[in-house]
Amino acid sequence: MTRRRLITSTVLAGVLVLTAASTSAPAAHPDPLDRDLDLVASANASAAEPAVTDDAFGADVARWRSVKADVVATGSAACDGCDAAGTALQVLYVSRGGEARLDNTATAWTQGCGQCAATALSVQVVVLRGVPTIVPNNRALAVTAACESCRATGVAYQVVVASRHADRLSREALAALRAWVAEQAAALRTPVPVAVPEPEPSPAPTSPSASPSDDTTEPPAPVARRGRVKAERRAQRSADVALGTLEDLVAGDLGAVPVSADSDVELSR
């Protein structure tokens, strides 16, 4: 499930007109520096290293007319009792007009293991100046396969704001942002029990010769599925609240206007 929000074209146009009026004209040629704007956090647990975390952070300024930035966080566990957690945070300042292609992905999976867990959290914060065309893409994926008592959780947050000012996030705001990410990552690693509705009781036998149905410890598949759907909805609601906090933190510090904001959550049990 995904939450996406874009401001109206009228409001955005007004912001961008003000932005263009407050910034100097770009140079005739793009910045000659060729810098990698991709950021990857990859945590892969194994029998040799059963508990693995990987935290990646990047802050960069892009001055080219065409910008492409990919942020990826992955966590994978394929051994009994293993735990993997990947967390990525990118803060990107796009200071010229043109096109900005922004991809943010969180992927978590567990396979062939018992009592294992994998989490992935990817956060991309982009501050625009000038009048770029943006192509935002934000997604999360979680997969479990051939495992018992396992869980995988992927969460992706992407926030894009437009600012008339050249200022970057203040030191205090950047510290608050990193603390917010650490808090979200810690929450992902805390198991949340999935409430499964009790199956409806079977009708009593109509005759002495009828044999009662066998007791089972596993609820019927439709019942278990309803429990997972409810858990996903709760997780998405929590992510939406956290997204609002993230927007307020960034936009409030910069005096910026949110252009695009999205949270995506995927759970697999």
Side-chain angles (χ1 to χ4, degrees):
M1 299 177 65
T2 305
R3 175 184 183 249
R4 288 186 174 86
R5 195 149 47 75
L6 296 176
I7 66 173
T8 64
S9 58
T10 301
V11 175
L12 178 56
V15 172
L16 295 180
V17 166
L18 290 173
T19 302
S22 65
T23 57
S24 59
H29 300 287
D31 193 317
L33 294 178
D34 182 12
R35 301 171 67 188
D36 188 0
L37 296 178
D38 296 345
L39 182 68
V40 177
S42 181
N44 303 294
S46 64
E49 288 186 274
V52 179
T53 62
D54 187 22
D55 300 321
F57 169 74
D60 216 333
V61 178
R63 298 185 178 91
W64 311 283
R65 289 188 177 277
S66 180
V67 174
K68 190 175 188 304
D70 295 314
V71 184
V72 177
T74 63
S76 67
C79 48
D80 292 344
C82 287
D83 188 301
T87 303
L89 166 62
Q90 182 186 61
V91 181
L92 179 63
Y93 303 93
V94 180
S95 62
R96 290 185 180 175
E99 182 181 68
R101 303 184 67 86
L102 310 169
D103 285 284
N104 186 52
T105 307
T107 304
W109 72 90
T110 60
Q111 181 176 3
C113 54
Q115 300 292 333
C116 50
T119 60
L121 172 64
S122 190
V123 182
Q124 187 178 45
V125 175
V126 182
V127 181
L128 304 176
R129 296 183 62 229
V131 285
T133 298
I134 64 166
V135 185
N137 190 18
N138 186 65
R139 59 201 179 278
L141 176 67
V143 178
T144 55
C147 58
E148 297 180 359
S149 300
C150 56
R151 62 186 180 88
T153 307
V155 182
Y157 293 97
Q158 186 182 60
V159 170
V160 183
V161 301
S163 174
R164 292 181 294 141
H165 308 291
D167 297 339
R168 303 186 191 184
L169 285 171
S170 66
R171 182 178 301 178
E172 294 77 13
L174 187 57
L177 173 59
R178 299 191 71 168
W180 179 90
V181 171
E183 179 182 341
Q184 301 305 312
L188 288 187
R189 300 189 67 184
T190 303
V192 178
V194 177
V196 178
E198 292 292 335
E200 301 212 353
S202 302
T206 57
S207 66
S209 61
S211 59
S213 59
D214 294 336
D215 291 336
T216 177
T217 58
E218 292 294 329
V223 176
R225 191 178 304 114
R226 286 198 298 271
R228 287 194 294 271
V229 169
K230 287 183 178 180
E232 289 177 351
R233 288 175 178 172
R234 286 196 301 270
Q236 186 64 58
R237 286 194 295 268
S238 296
D240 291 345
V241 172
L243 178 65
T245 301
L246 176 60
E247 285 183 85
D248 292 342
L249 191 162
V250 175
D253 183 68
L254 293 171
V257 175
V259 176
S260 174
D262 180 44
S263 63
D264 194 19
V265 179
E266 289 290 336
L267 309 177
S268 186
R269 302 288 188 271

